[in-house]
Amino acid sequence: VITTHAQIHEVGVFAGGSNFIGDVGATNYIKPNEFAWGLLYKWNKSTRHAWRASFTSAKITGSDDKSGMSTREQRNYDFENTIKEASLGLEFNFFDFDLHDLDRQFTPYVFLGLSYFRYESQYVLNRTTYVDEKNSSLAIPMALGLKTSLTPKLVLGLEVGVRYTFADDLDGSFPKNNDFKHLRFGNINSNDWYTFSGLTLTYTFGENPCFCPL
């Protein structure tokens, strides 16, 4: 006989919060202050790893007067932007997470991949933030989470994920448009980050492993 392992799939939703780390507002890495939601799909290749794709949408904001930094509070800039992100990567479980097992499963996990996101390139003039144009960039998503099986078909997760972006104009501090070069400010050697924190709920489907004769 030969053993064939049918792949098992998960589809579900993400709901939680977002926060921004850059040249405007607070610099806390995990401090959700806006709503974020998303859709996700996982293709479990084994009990230890899965390919994962997701779409996430969130508003990100920053206010210098809430930063807790005297220099930023005196500057008193603020901004608002919208992130629409598509990600693809690998999720690795620290413990075996067997979706075919009827017993409750639990494991910490990490996720690493690549993201493409759309946003508004901004600039600041006379303490007011303006939108220059729609733009897009890449980011490196890194997440740490815990998940458990609620039922044989439902998996609940708690996740915190940070995104290191290849952009520095989400908050208007470093507009790409050279017409606004004189309006750039902040640390030009540090790109923007944003964070998603929240819960995932996925539904599993796919046949159990089977032993098939030649």
Side-chain angles (χ1 to χ4, degrees):
V1 297
I2 60 172
T3 303
T4 61
H5 294 276
Q7 311 299 341
I8 195 164
H9 308 274
E10 295 178 63
V11 292
V13 295
F14 165 83
S18 64
N19 65 281
F20 171 81
I21 310 102
D23 293 301
V24 176
T27 56
N28 307 80
Y29 271 85
I30 304 174
K31 191 178 181 181
N33 61 350
E34 299 293 347
F35 178 69
W37 67 272
L39 305 172
L40 64 154
Y41 164 77
K42 299 180 186 181
W43 181 20
N44 292 276
K45 297 290 288 181
S46 76
T47 58
R48 283 298 186 98
H49 76 285
W51 291 106
R52 167 173 155 174
S54 64
F55 169 81
T56 311
S57 179
K59 183 167 73 171
I60 55 172
T61 60
S63 299
D64 281 345
D65 61 355
K66 299 177 182 178
S67 67
M69 302 172 63
S70 60
T71 53
R72 294 192 179 190
E73 289 172 350
Q74 292 172 9
R75 186 179 61 190
N76 199 28
Y77 288 171
D78 59 67
F79 83 99
E80 178 180 308
N81 212 325
T82 300
I83 298 291
K84 296 186 182 298
E85 176 201 270
S87 295
L88 180 65
L90 186 68
E91 183 174 295
F92 176 79
N93 301 324
F94 286 92
F95 309 141
D96 285 339
F97 197 85
D98 188 352
L99 294 174
H100 301 114
D101 195 326
L102 297 180
D103 293 333
R104 175 161 291 185
Q105 305 292 299
F106 171 82
T107 185
Y109 67 89
V110 293
F111 169 76
L112 181 66
L114 184 66
S115 297
Y116 168 84
F117 66 98
R118 298 281 296 172
Y119 68 101
E120 295 175 337
S121 183
Q122 302 186 350
Y123 64 95
V124 180
L125 180 63
N126 297 327
R127 295 182 180 272
T128 302
T129 303
Y130 298 93
V131 175
D132 180 26
E133 61 182 358
K134 296 284 187 179
N135 219 326
S136 63
S137 186
L138 298 175
I140 299 175
M142 298 163 282
L144 178 64
L146 301 170
K147 60 183 177 181
T148 185
S149 54
L150 298 178
T151 73
K153 290 292 186 181
L154 293 176
V155 178
L156 178 68
L158 172 64
E159 178 176 299
V160 175
V162 299
R163 271 66 169 168
Y164 170 77
T165 78
F166 294 94
D168 196 19
D169 56 341
L170 277 69
D171 56 4
S173 65
F174 199 83
K176 292 182 178 180
N177 191 334
N178 284 328
D179 291 341
F180 305 120
K181 187 176 181 179
H182 62 289
L183 299 176
R184 294 172 181 171
F185 63 91
N187 185 357
I188 63 174
N189 297 313
S190 177
N191 289 339
D192 295 331
W193 298 66
Y194 58 90
T195 302
F196 297 142
S197 307
L199 297 174
T200 63
L201 182 65
T202 58
Y203 173 81
T204 69
F205 62 98
E207 295 182 359
N208 291 348
C210 63
F211 296 93
C212 305
L214 287 171

